[in-house]
Amino acid sequence: MGHMHKFLGVMAAAVAALSSAAAQNSLSGAANNQPVVANPTTLISDFDVQSVGPILDELGVVWRAVAVDGGSSAIVANAGGALNFYMQPSACRVNGTSKCIGVLIFSPYEGNANSQTVRAFNDRYPFTRTALDKSSGAFITRYEIADFGIPRGNVAASLLNFFTLAGRFHAELASAGRTVSLEGYSGDLAAASLNRKGLVHLTGAIEDAPAMSERHNKSFDEATDDILRLIELEDLPRNKIKNFK
């Protein structure tokens, strides 16, 4: 598990240093495609603490279970000493408190978040959702389901990719200006992708790196461009917006 602790250490450095080139180049995880947790294809049937906790342990995440309203439990956790995040099991099949087949993963950021940056990040990356909170801060979140079970490896992979995007979101929030303009929106939307491509060029990183997490990171950057390109196809079936009067 040494490579996983290295991953979390690099992720912490990336958050603290606002994504240095060396840190970004190391966020790919294990380059030899080795699973980051034991028995990666073994299914867990729910996101209860006893099911998710061992996976967090193997990832080197520091966590604790906390009681929430209604008698259920949630997880308060920290990855790499830098990213605080929470896991709230949901859609619980037994008494509304256990055998939960859904989980909400989220990480909040306090401070004065630039709404344009939050919106642009949200539009750029379909894997997560970002939004403002009532205190002018922001949060990033992802929802997972396990209606018919989910492999342990998939849970770990989703968490690692969430950590990566949460680190990027933190860096974008910290470096964003305080002005909001429609003219600057498209630039904000593409900034993360352009920055990453520049780092690949400068550091000599292999863009098609074999690590599974790196493949997803590359796909995250390209997803919006792919969607916009496909939308331009004339023969693409579209859903009609029907306004009620």
Side-chain angles (χ1 to χ4, degrees):
M1 302 311 295
H3 64 267
M4 184 48 50
H5 292 292
K6 181 179 180 182
F7 175 96
L8 293 175
V10 170
M11 197 277 295
V15 173
L18 302 183
S19 66
S20 67
Q24 287 290 335
N25 190 35
S26 302
L27 285 176
S28 59
N32 57 5
N33 276 343
Q34 292 300 309
V36 295
V37 293
N39 304 313
T41 60
T42 298
L43 296 181
I44 60 172
S45 60
D46 52 59
F47 293 108
D48 292 3
V49 172
Q50 57 267 33
S51 299
V52 176
I55 298 174
L56 295 175
D57 288 337
E58 290 185 61
L59 293 180
V61 171
V62 177
W63 65 277
R64 60 187 173 89
V66 295
V68 296
D69 293 342
S72 59
S73 296
I75 290 173
V76 178
N78 179 279
L83 176 68
N84 293 311
F85 70 99
Y86 305 85
M87 301 180 71
Q88 173 64 65
S90 60
C92 303
R93 293 176 292 183
V94 178
N95 300 323
T97 61
S98 61
K99 299 298 180 183
C100 304
I101 55 175
V103 65
L104 178 66
I105 308 166
F106 71 98
S107 184
Y109 300 84
E110 62 181 0
N112 296 316
N114 186 331
S115 60
Q116 178 176 293
T117 299
V118 174
R119 166 70 191 278
F121 196 96
N122 188 63
D123 287 356
R124 185 76 200 174
Y125 299 111
F127 182 77
T128 55
R129 183 175 75 90
T130 57
L132 296 168
D133 63 29
K134 293 181 180 180
S135 62
S136 77
F139 61 87
I140 183 170
T141 183
R142 174 163 174 81
Y143 189 84
E144 296 281 355
I145 61 173
D147 289 21
F148 301 97
I150 183 171
R152 300 179 83 250
N154 278 30
V155 176
S158 284
L159 285 169
L160 293 182
N161 283 293
F162 177 81
F163 298 162
T164 296
L165 287 183
R168 291 188 192 181
F169 187 48
H170 182 275
E172 294 291 334
L173 290 173
S175 61
R178 295 298 168 219
T179 59
V180 177
S181 65
L182 293 177
E183 291 79 7
Y185 178 75
S186 61
D188 281 357
L189 186 64
S193 178
L194 291 175
N195 288 342
R196 183 171 180 276
K197 290 178 181 177
L199 288 172
V200 167
H201 176 73
L202 289 172
T203 61
I206 300 174
E207 192 159 14
D208 294 319
M212 287 182 284
S213 60
E214 178 63 16
R215 290 194 184 119
H216 286 304
N217 294 338
K218 186 171 182 290
S219 296
F220 294 155
D221 285 326
E222 297 173 348
T224 298
D225 291 337
D226 289 341
I227 293 169
L228 294 177
R229 186 181 68 254
L230 291 170
I231 286 176
E232 293 178 357
L233 297 177
E234 293 183 0
D235 58 350
L236 182 73
R238 290 167 167 79
N239 299 295
K240 300 295 183 180
I241 299 174
K242 296 182 179 180
N243 296 321
F244 292 97
K245 295 182 178 179

